[in-house]
Amino acid sequence: MAKPRIAYVIFDMDGLLIDSERVYTDVTNDILAKYGKEMTWDIKAGLMGKPEREAAAHLLSFFPDLPAAFTPDVYLAQRNALQDARWPSVRPLPGAVRLVRHLHAHGVPLALATGSTRHGFVQKSAHLPALFGCFGAHVVCADDGLVRPGRGKPHPDVFLAAAEHLGYAVGQGEEAEARVGEEARAVRGRGLVFEDAVPGLQAGKRAGMNVVWVPDANLLALGTEPAGLEQPDQTLKSLEEFVPEEWGLPPYDVEHAIES
């Protein structure tokens, strides 16, 4: 089936544009090692894309014999302190800089929609202006007040907020809801979302947008596949594999390719 011609593009951040998932894993396992525990990839797969505190509670539910004082809030305080020390060295993932800068250079409207807090976003992005400078002010974080508590991914709200931030009238509600008008559906259908996590993929599809899924190889090794009606429109091993012209976007200039 022919792909729609895309008008705007929305990116997730963690695990898609930057190698932050490695930091999450290393820091969490450093904390859990004190208690003889480990976050394996089958546990981590269920955390990816979830709001911060929800993910923390889900993680600790796998270890019911941890001390009662080791609450999700205590874990998050320890984790965030350790992560903040590592964010300034986190690197972009292959193909991320090239793709984002290419789209930006060709005037394609871009937004970032992340489950990270604003503080987390600043910590992860400040040393990577060549990448994150392309988004300008079009960044939606979990605590910006644009997404109601409890409405993080897999709900579509963050992607709808990002599209509205770009000036597109996408309305409110999930694609399947009757209150979403035909004009709003058409505008949503011209959006392209890039995601690495299953909840993010689900959120993009529930927003009525097209989704390119770029899952971590460890996730695929577990045999993890999106369940239900929300299936990706394209699955890639890396952003390096993305071919812009397949989506009606400007093709890469081979002679002047922007390095990733």
Side-chain angles (χ1 to χ4, degrees):
M1 188 172 74
K3 294 181 175 64
R5 189 174 184 85
I6 295 303
Y8 59 96
V9 180
I10 304 174
F11 288 90
D12 175 47
M13 179 174 66
D14 292 302
L16 176 80
L17 295 180
I18 55 175
D19 194 16
S20 49
E21 291 296 342
R22 184 190 307 273
V23 175
Y24 285 129
T25 301
D26 291 347
V27 164
T28 292
N29 281 332
D30 285 348
I31 295 170
L32 292 176
K34 302 169 189 174
Y35 304 97
K37 309 296 182 184
E38 180 185 7
M39 179 181 69
T40 57
W41 256 95
D42 58 332
I43 294 174
K44 182 180 174 70
L47 312 181
M48 295 176 69
K50 284 186 168 64
E52 183 177 76
R53 201 177 187 290
E54 180 183 339
H58 187 67
L59 168 66
L60 298 190
S61 72
F62 287 92
F63 310 111
D65 56 338
L66 285 170
F70 191 67
T71 63
D73 289 330
V74 169
Y75 158 72
L76 286 173
Q78 293 181 17
R79 190 201 70 175
N80 291 343
L82 293 172
Q83 286 177 169
D84 282 355
R86 301 192 190 193
W87 291 140
S89 62
V90 73
R91 302 307 306 162
L93 285 165
V97 174
R98 184 189 185 203
L99 176 57
V100 172
R101 290 183 62 190
H102 167 75
L103 297 176
H104 176 67
H106 285 272
V108 178
L110 302 178
L112 189 75
T114 175
S116 284
T117 62
R118 178 62 59 168
H119 170 79
F121 166 71
V122 171
Q123 291 288 314
K124 297 168 190 174
S125 65
H127 65 294
L128 298 171
L131 172 58
F132 290 103
C134 295
F135 295 101
H138 301 301
V139 175
V140 178
C141 297
D143 58 348
D144 283 347
L146 298 176
V147 177
R148 288 185 289 112
R151 293 290 300 181
K153 302 170 186 176
H155 298 291
D157 302 36
V158 68
F159 291 124
L160 297 176
E164 291 279 351
H165 211 279
L166 287 171
Y168 291 92
V170 294
Q172 300 296 314
E174 298 194 9
E175 174 72 0
E177 294 181 25
R179 62 174 166 151
V180 181
E182 289 305 312
E183 289 186 11
R185 290 180 197 277
V187 175
R188 294 178 183 209
R190 306 248 354 242
L192 182 62
V193 167
F194 284 89
E195 261 288 354
D196 69 302
V198 172
L201 155 65
Q202 293 170 324
K205 294 306 295 181
R206 291 174 188 180
M209 297 174 185
N210 307 279
V211 178
V212 176
W213 189 41
V214 192
D216 190 290
N218 291 290
L219 200 60
L220 291 182
L222 293 173
T224 302
E225 294 288 343
L229 299 176
E230 296 99 354
Q231 297 296 313
D233 298 281
Q234 187 174 38
T235 302
L236 304 176
K237 294 179 180 178
S238 164
L239 288 175
E240 293 179 303
E241 295 183 346
F242 183 69
V243 180
E245 57 266 37
E246 290 182 357
W247 293 91
L249 295 166
Y252 285 124
D253 184 337
V254 177
E255 295 181 0
H256 300 90
I258 300 173
E259 293 297 327
S260 59

